[in-house]
Structures are given as C-alpha cells and as structure tokens.
C-alpha cells in the first residue's frame, strides 16, 4: 500500500463506513480494514489521514482511534505470531508520532498519546532513546498547548511506575527518566507557578496554567512512587512550598458553577493531597518537617468545603491524607487528645458519611455505578469510604475512645429515625452504614467479614434494625434502607447464625420483585453469597433442601427480575441464576422446559449486541449447569437441549459473534460428550468447519475447540476415519505443536487420536503424528 492521496481517500471512505449504524455497511468495512492491516504502510496511511487538515474531524478522529487500536494489538512482538508491523513502519511511526500528536486537536492528541504510551511500554527507553529529549525540548517553546501534550504523554508513560513490581530493569528505566526529566520538570513547575501569579486575574490563562500544574503534580506522584529519588529529596523544599501554596489557594476565577464536575482547582488540590499522603506514608522521616503545615491546611480545607459532589475527590483525598498520618505511630501525638478525636468525629467523619441528594440521585438514575461503589469496592474515591478509612486508622491507636464515640452516634441516629421513620430515614441509613463499615475490622470477598469490633452486638442489631426492613411487605417502600439491610446480611453472613439466615431467603426472593434496580440486584447478590456459604465442617451451610419450598418462586422471581426496566442484562441477577442452578441441581428438572426457553430467548437477544461480558459469561454458565443437571438425571434430555439451542448457536456461528463463539464450542462439546453411541449427523456436518484455519487464529477459541475435537475423536473415531478427515486434525496438531503457548493443546488431540483410532488405522495415525512431533534434520 503506497502512501498517496488515492489510498488515503479510500481509507477515509472505509473509516466513514465503520461509523455507520447499519451493520450491513459497517461490518464489511471493518472486515476490510482487518484484512489490510498487515500491509506495509497501513499505519502510515492512518497517520497521514490524521494529519490531513482538509479531512472532516470525525474521520481524522476515527483514523486516530483505529491507529491507537492497531498499535495496541500489534506493537508487541509475540514470538509465535511474529512481527506484524514492518520494520520500516516502526521506525517511521516513532519519527512522526510525537510531532503529529503535539500539533493535533485535543481529541486526536489523546488518542495518539495513548498510542505513544503503548509503544513506550515496549520500546522505551532502549529502543526509543530520543523520546524524552524530543519531549523536553518542547518545554522551551512556551506554547502550553504543546507543553500540555508533552505532559499528558509523559504521564501516560510514567504512571505505570505506580503499580510495577520492583526490578533492576525498572530501576534503570526510572533512573534514566529522572536523569533526563526531573530537573526540566522542576524548572517547568517553578516557572508555571510564577505564571500563575502573573496571570492571577486572567481566567483564560489560569485555566491553561492550572491544567499544566495538575499534570505536573501527577508526574511528581509517579516519579516518587517507587522510592524517594535523590533529586526530589534535594529539592523537596521547592516542591513542598509550591504544594502548600496551591493547596491554600482560593482564586474565585477558577471556581465553577457546575455542582457535579470537579473544576481544575479541585483536581489540582486533590492531586496535591495524594502527593503529600504518599510522602507521609513512605518517606515520613524526610517529610516530617513539612507535615504540620499540611495537616493544618488539610484540616482547614475539610471544615470549609461543602457537600457538593464536585468536591468529593478533593475531600476524599484530603481525608486519606489525614488517615495516612493517623496510622503512623510517630504521629499519634497529633490525635491523642480526646477533644481532637471528638472534633474529627463531629466535623470530618460524620458529615462525610451523610447520604446526600446526589447519592440518592445516583441510587435512582445510575444504579450500576451506585452498586459498583457500594459493594464492589470501587468507592475508593468516595467521601464515605475515606471517612471509614480515617476511623480505621484512628482505631489502630485509639480503638476504645473511637468506638465509644461512634456507638453514641449510632444510638442517637436510630433514636432520631424512630421519631419519624418516613422523614428521618437518612438517619438510619447513616447508622447502618456506620455499623456495616466500622464493625468490620477485617473481611474478604469470599467470606465477607472475618473479624469484628465491639461497636454493636451484630445479632441484636440484625433482629432490631435489619430484619424489620427485610420483612416490610411493600418491596418498593424506603428502597435505600432495604438495600442497606441486604448489604448488612451480605457483610455479616459469617457472623449470623444459620437460624437467622434461612428465614432471610424467602424475604430476599420477594425483594427480587422490587422495582428498584439496586434492591433487586442486592437481593440476587446476597442469595449468591448465602448459597456459597460453608459450614465449619465443610458442606454448604444452606442446602437445596433448606430452600426447596421456595424453589419455584425463586426461579420465577429471578427470571422476572431480568424483565424489569434497566435489568434486562443485569449481571448480578444472572449470576444469581447460575448460583441457584448450581445449588438446586436436579431440583430444576421439573421447570427445565420453561427455563430453557427463557435462557434461549435471552441468548438470542444479547447475541445481537454483546455488551455485558460478565452477564454473557453467567448466561452460558447457567446453560451448562442446566444441561449437566438435567442430563445427569435423564441423558435422553440431550436431544431437547440440542433442539432448543442449535438454531441460536448456528446463527451466532454464521454471524461470527466472536465474543460468543468460544462458549458455543464449549457447550457443543458438553452436549456431544453426553451422547453414548455414535456422533449425530448435525455434529458431523459441523466437523469439517472446525478445522478451518481462521478459527484457530483466535487464541480464545483454542481450548474449547480442542475439547470439542477430542469429543469427536472419543465418540466417533471410526466415523472420522471413514470420512478421511484425520489429515486435517493432524494439521491442526502441527499448528498447535509449533506454539509454545498451545503445544500442550496439540498433544491433547494427538493423545485422543492414539487412544481412540481403530486398530486398523492405528499405524497410519501414529506415523503421521510422529512426523509432526519428531525434530527434523
């Protein structure tokens, strides 16, 4: 492919078609681009299209995204697959991309920056030694559009230092970066601070300057994360003085009217809190002279910042800084005064645990995000989570006084709720949250809470405060308190007795009918957790006999919940279905025809636009469990499953729905293995297609395909031999055996051939197989 106007124009046409909502137009264009991406100059054509100023911005942006994805797929050289990018293209890309990124519009700049990050992860610094010098030189130009592009790119490359494991290679890379980047970054920081003072009354300039300062602070965090560099230790006074100045800055020109989105000033202060928290945690000896000033500044910031959502990250990070200080033994003197502890509880912790209007809106309007924050641990940046972390940090040194303080708060809030339950439900919400969060001293995802504090008697609190909300016949009344109650059961499932948990099952089953997405999702999650509980002796704590009387309504309500608005592809509900099938096993047989129809309908629906990978996984797992449980009791039922699922399977294979194809092969192998005699004809018609090379190019297809082929060999070796197809099988074996990743999969196939091929053909197969196994020359 030559780089010329004709090819650039043709490429633009295909990219435009990939944006079409019409699948018949979009899919062929995607296939074409996939087919030519291995051609020489293909990535350069994309970059030239990105640089074409007379092309419309959506097409240029599409080219940038396509280039970014191409780099992500192909830049890393995989030994077995070889280098998919021509050497000349690699060199040209590295020569072009930095300059192009810096002069592009912001939306394109971000895509190319991501591509540079991917390239840098593989090539920097050994194979791209001039990258830093290219970027540092741009600092001298004084154009903040370019400087911000350089800073964002540097951040995208260096931020991996925050989570990389320590190694000699990493140390060498960080040293190389520090030697070439730390001093210019400090000089830029110092100069930008002066510009902020000079342009303090210019809102346009301030926005650009504070955007740069925010990224500079992020770079500081990345470069200091692994260890305290000598350069930054020597220049700590400069950095900390500027950090303190920025943390206490309050320029009205940078304040925004938006109550939801954090402005530049809030983002910058949040990052500074992160930076000083890092130093307090890891480099407290060197940082100790600067600590008191930051504690004072942070305390003032917390007591003067209101409850608007745009301040959430700032408040969270500020509280996390105090928590990092509180948990260090050397700083306990700052918190040991009872009056100080009382003030922290009153002015920091309790106010930031309140359930705000914005939280209520999130509960109703974005239940998926609410659930992720509340029970999946993605609440790390929320006020509530930070406040809990601060209390836990204080408890390490002052558990008695802290628990006593909050025990009084819990009682006071429950009394407030009892005065007017309808109006004061938020008081009970905070009380339950305090108990759920602070009574748990240690927990795991698998077992829930494993160690508790003395905040309350958990069983008594369950009976007096939690059970009444679960027993409320109106499943749509006070939904947030119902969600709190369900979360309590989830959290303390190992502390509550079986006699308390068994009666919860029918209550949770009823709550599956709630119109609140959070409530019926929590109910499904809680059932999932309860059904996996183990008794001290090892067997399940809750058996299928314990819930036998609720089986029909449980299955009905689970599938009914999948029809509720907003939950048609609810992964929590589908996981609940899977777990219920797993517990009930053959108890689902009386309902299997209805269940199979519902699973089949759902499969057809989601196959048209697979967008929820977890939901899809649990859907296929549920199908597999249903097949196993039913056919174990009645092997003849396999024909019914084949009749019901073969049509959607065939459509998925024809449409090449890549996300689902590995699952289809797994289920086909399961169905085939259930047959006790010869292979049915529909399977034999499929067999030849399974040897198509394109199927074996996708790594995700290989394990299920191998298992399916083993099923064919084990169930119908003689039929396969009659069709003269084993050469194709051995060809597949040859391909797999040449791969270090998949050679064991090849030997699974060869072992099945050796074990199952008729004796009359045995020598032929062994000889042919040895040709591929034995080394030549």
């Amino acid at each position: 492919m030559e780089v010329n106007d004709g090819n650039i124009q043709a490429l633009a046409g295909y990219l435009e078609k990939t944006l079409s909502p019409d699948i018949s137009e979009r899919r062929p264009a995607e296939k074409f681009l996939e087919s030519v991406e291995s051609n020489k100059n293909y990535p350069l054509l994309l970059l030239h299209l990105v640089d074409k100023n007379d092309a419309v911005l959506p097409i240029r942006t599409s080219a940038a995204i396509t280039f970014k994805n191409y780099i992500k797929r192909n830049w890393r050289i995989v030994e077995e697959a070889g280098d998919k990018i021509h050497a000349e293209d690699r060199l040209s890309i590295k020569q072009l991309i930095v300059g192009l990124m810096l002069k592009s519009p912001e939306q394109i700049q971000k895509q190319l920056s991501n591509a540079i990050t991917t390239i840098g992860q593989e090539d920097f610094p050994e194979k791209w030694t001039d990258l830093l010098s290219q970027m540092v030189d741009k600092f001298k130009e004084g154009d903040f559009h370019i400087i911000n592009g350089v800073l964002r790119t540097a951040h995208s490359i260096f931020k991996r230092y925050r989570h990389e494991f320590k190694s000699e290679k990493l140390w060498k890379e960080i040293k190389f970066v520090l030697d070439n980047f730390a001093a210019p970054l400090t000089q830029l920081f110092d100069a930008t601070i002066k510009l902020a003072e000079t342009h303090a009354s210019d809102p346009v300039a301030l926005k650009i300057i504070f955007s740069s300062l925010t990224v500079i602070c992020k770079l500081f965090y990345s470069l200091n994360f692994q260890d305290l560099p000598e350069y930054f230790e020597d220049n700590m006074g400069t950095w900390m003085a500027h950090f303190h100045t920025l943390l206490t800055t309050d320029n009205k020109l940078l304040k925004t009217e938006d109550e939801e989105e954090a402005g530049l000033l809030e983002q910058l202060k949040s990052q500074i809190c992160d930076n000083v928290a890092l130093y307090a945690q890891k480099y407290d000896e060197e940082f100790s002279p600067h600590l008191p000033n930051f504690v004072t500044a942070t305390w003032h910031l917390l007591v003067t910042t209101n409850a608007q959502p745009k301040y959430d990250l700032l408040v969270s990070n500020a509280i996390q800084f105090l928590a990092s200080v509180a948990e260090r033994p050397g700083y306990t003197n700052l918190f040991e005064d009872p009056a100080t502890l009382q003030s922290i509880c009153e002015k920091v912790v309790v106010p930031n645990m309140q359930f705000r209007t914005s939280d209520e809106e999130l509960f109703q309007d974005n239940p998926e995000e609410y659930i992720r924050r509340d029970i999946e641990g993605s609440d790390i940046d929320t006020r509530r989570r930070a406040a809990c972390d601060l209390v836990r940090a204080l408890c390490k040194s002052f558990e008695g006084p802290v628990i006593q303080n909050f025990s009084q708060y819990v009682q006071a809030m429950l009394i407030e709720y009892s005065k007017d339950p309808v109006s004061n439900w938020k008081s009970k919400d905070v009380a339950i949250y305090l108990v759920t969060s602070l009574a748990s001293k240690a927990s795991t995802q698998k077992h829930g809470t494993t160690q508790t504090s003395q905040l309350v008697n958990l069983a008594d609190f369950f009976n007096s405060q939690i059970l009444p909300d679960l027993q409320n016949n109106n499943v749509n009344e006070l939904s947030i308190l119902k969600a709190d109650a369900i979360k309590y059961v989830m959290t303390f499932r190992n502390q509550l007795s079986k006699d308390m948990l068994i009666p919860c099952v029918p209550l949770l089953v009823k709550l599956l009918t709630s119109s609140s997405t959070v409530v019926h999702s929590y109910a499904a999650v809680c059932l999932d957790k309860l059904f996996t509980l183990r008794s001290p002796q090892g067997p399940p704590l809750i058996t299928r006999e314990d819930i036998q009387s609720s089986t029909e309504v449980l299955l009905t309500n689970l599938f009914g919940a999948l029809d509720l608005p907003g939950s048609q592809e609810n992964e929590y509900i589908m996981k609940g279905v899977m777990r219920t099938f797993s517990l009930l096993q053959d108890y689902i047989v009386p309902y299997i025809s209805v269940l199979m129809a519902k699973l089949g309908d759902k499969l057809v629906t989601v196959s048209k636009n697979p967008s929820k990978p977890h939901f899809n996984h649990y859907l296929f797992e549920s199908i597999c469990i249903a097949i196993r449980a039913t056919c174990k009791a009645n092997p003849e039922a396999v024909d019914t499953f084949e009749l019901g699922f073969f049509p959607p399977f065939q459509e998925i294979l024809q449409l090449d729905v890549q996300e689902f194809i590995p699952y289809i092969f797994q289920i086909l192998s399961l169905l085939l293995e259930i047959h006790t005699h010869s292979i049915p004809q529909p399977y034999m018609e499929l067999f030849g297609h399974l040897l198509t090379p394109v199927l074996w190019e996708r790594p995700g297809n290989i394990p299920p395909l191998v298992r399916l082929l083993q099923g064919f060999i084990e169930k119908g070796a003689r039929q396969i031999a009659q069709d003269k197809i084993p050469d194709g099988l051995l060809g597949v074996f040859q391909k797999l055996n040449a791969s270090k990743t998949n050679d064991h999969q090849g030997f699974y196939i060869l072992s099945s051939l050796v074990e199952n091929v008729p004796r009359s053909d045995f020598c032929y197969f062994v000889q042919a197989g040895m040709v591929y196994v034995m080394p030549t020359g």
Side-chain angles (χ1 to χ4, degrees), residues 31-43:
K31 291 287 185 184
F32 172 79
L33 293 177
E34 187 179 333
S35 70
V36 300
E37 73 171 21
S38 60
N39 292 352
K40 186 179 179 181
N41 292 329
Y42 172 73

Side-chain angles (χ1 to χ4, degrees), residues 49 79 108 194 339 357 441 467 512 543 560 591 606 648 673 738:
L49 179 54
E79 184 178 347
I108 293 176
K194 292 175 182 176
T357 302
K441 293 176 66 176
L467 195 56
L512 288 169
T543 66
Y591 317 101
V606 299
E673 289 163 7

Side-chain angles (χ1 to χ4, degrees), residues 498 502 505 530-534 539-552 554 579-591 625 628-630 632-633:
K498 180 176 180 177
I502 292 294
V505 173
L530 295 182
F531 292 167
T532 55
L533 277 177
R534 295 278 172 179
L541 183 70
I542 297 177
T543 66
R544 57 184 184 169
E545 287 76 20
D546 291 327
I547 63 168
Q548 186 173 7
S549 60
S550 302
T551 296
E552 183 172 349
L554 170 58
R579 194 69 67 197
T580 300
F581 282 10
S582 181
L583 177 67
L584 293 175
Q585 291 294 320
D586 57 349
Y587 279 26
I588 67 173
V589 171
Y591 317 101
I625 295 170
R628 284 199 189 96
T630 305
K632 183 178 180 181

Side-chain angles (χ1 to χ4, degrees), residues 113-409:
S113 178
N114 286 336
I116 292 173
T117 303
T118 303
I119 297 171
Q121 287 171 349
E122 298 299 318
D123 289 11
F124 179 78
E126 292 90 349
K127 299 178 183 178
W128 205 359
T129 54
D130 63 339
L131 174 61
L132 276 186
S133 60
Q134 286 184 56
M135 295 198 298
V136 168
D137 285 344
K138 301 296 181 181
F139 287 165
K140 302 172 186 176
E141 297 189 9
D143 183 340
F144 270 88
H145 174 73
I146 292 176
I147 289 173
N148 283 345
V150 170
L151 291 173
R152 279 195 291 266
T153 301
H155 171 56
S156 66
I157 295 173
F158 302 156
K159 67 181 179 182
R160 64 185 178 87
Y161 300 158
R162 304 178 182 190
H163 53 77
E164 289 268 328
F165 288 113
K166 295 182 179 181
S167 67
E168 188 66 25
K169 181 182 178 184
L170 181 64
W171 291 132
K172 287 181 178 178
E173 180 179 330
I174 293 177
K175 185 179 185 307
F176 175 82
V177 171
L178 290 168
D179 290 345
N180 291 275
F181 199 75
L185 183 68
T186 305
Q187 292 163 11
L188 178 66
F189 187 38
D190 198 45
T192 310
I193 289 287
K194 292 175 182 176
L195 284 173
E197 295 170 354
T198 304
H199 297 280
S201 58
D202 184 348
V204 176
L206 280 178
K207 288 179 181 178
I208 298 171
I209 291 168
F210 271 73
S211 178
S212 296
L213 288 171
T214 302
V215 186
I216 289 172
C217 290
K218 290 179 179 179
L219 286 165
F220 176 91
Y221 188 88
S222 299
L223 295 176
N224 284 269
F225 190 87
Q226 291 284 341
D227 202 353
L228 178 58
E230 183 180 351
Y231 180 88
F232 285 105
E233 184 177 358
D234 293 342
N235 291 272
M236 189 183 298
T238 299
W239 283 89
M240 294 304 155
H242 290 332
F243 283 165
H244 188 269
T245 299
L246 294 171
L247 193 60
T248 54
T249 293
D250 187 23
N251 192 319
K252 294 181 179 179
L253 295 177
L254 290 168
K255 292 186 179 294
T256 60
E257 297 297 324
D258 193 332
E259 295 184 0
E260 299 291 329
E261 293 294 326
L264 285 172
L265 189 60
E266 292 78 47
Q267 294 175 33
L268 176 59
K269 289 185 177 184
S270 298
Q271 186 58 52
I272 290 172
C273 289
D274 260 354
N275 292 352
V276 294
L278 174 70
Y279 266 53
Q281 288 171 335
K282 302 185 72 170
Y283 318 125
D284 56 332
E285 183 178 346
E286 296 83 357
F287 181 60
S288 57
H290 306 279
L291 180 78
N293 286 339
F294 282 104
V295 170
T296 302
T298 303
W299 178 261
H300 181 265
L301 186 151
L302 286 171
V303 297
T304 57
T305 302
N306 66 38
Q308 289 181 340
K310 69 177 179 180
Y311 298 116
D312 284 358
L313 182 60
L314 171 57
V315 170
S316 170
N317 286 352
I319 295 175
Q320 291 289 359
F321 167 64
L322 289 183
S324 65
V325 175
E327 67 183 1
R328 307 298 293 182
Y331 300 133
T332 54
N333 62 302
L334 296 174
F335 304 95
E336 60 188 2
D337 187 342
T340 301
L341 291 174
Q342 180 74 15
S343 182
I344 290 173
C345 294
E346 284 184 9
K347 297 180 179 179
V348 176
V349 176
V350 173
N352 286 297
M353 284 191 174
Q354 299 297 325
F355 197 83
R356 300 166 301 165
T357 302
S358 59
D359 298 319
E360 193 171 357
E361 290 172 353
L362 189 70
F363 183 95
Q364 295 170 348
D365 301 335
N366 193 355
E368 287 188 14
E369 178 61 22
Y370 182 92
I371 294 168
R372 277 194 290 270
R373 291 184 183 185
D374 196 40
I375 65 171
E376 287 195 358
S378 67
D379 62 339
I380 191 166
D381 292 328
T382 64
R383 295 180 184 232
R384 278 188 157 187
R385 170 68 177 270
C388 287
D389 289 345
L390 175 57
V391 174
R392 291 193 178 103
L394 292 170
C395 282
K396 290 182 179 180
S397 301
F398 314 104
E399 181 171 359
V402 170
I403 292 299
Q404 182 179 0
N405 271 327
F406 282 107
S407 179
Q408 294 171 0
Y409 277 112

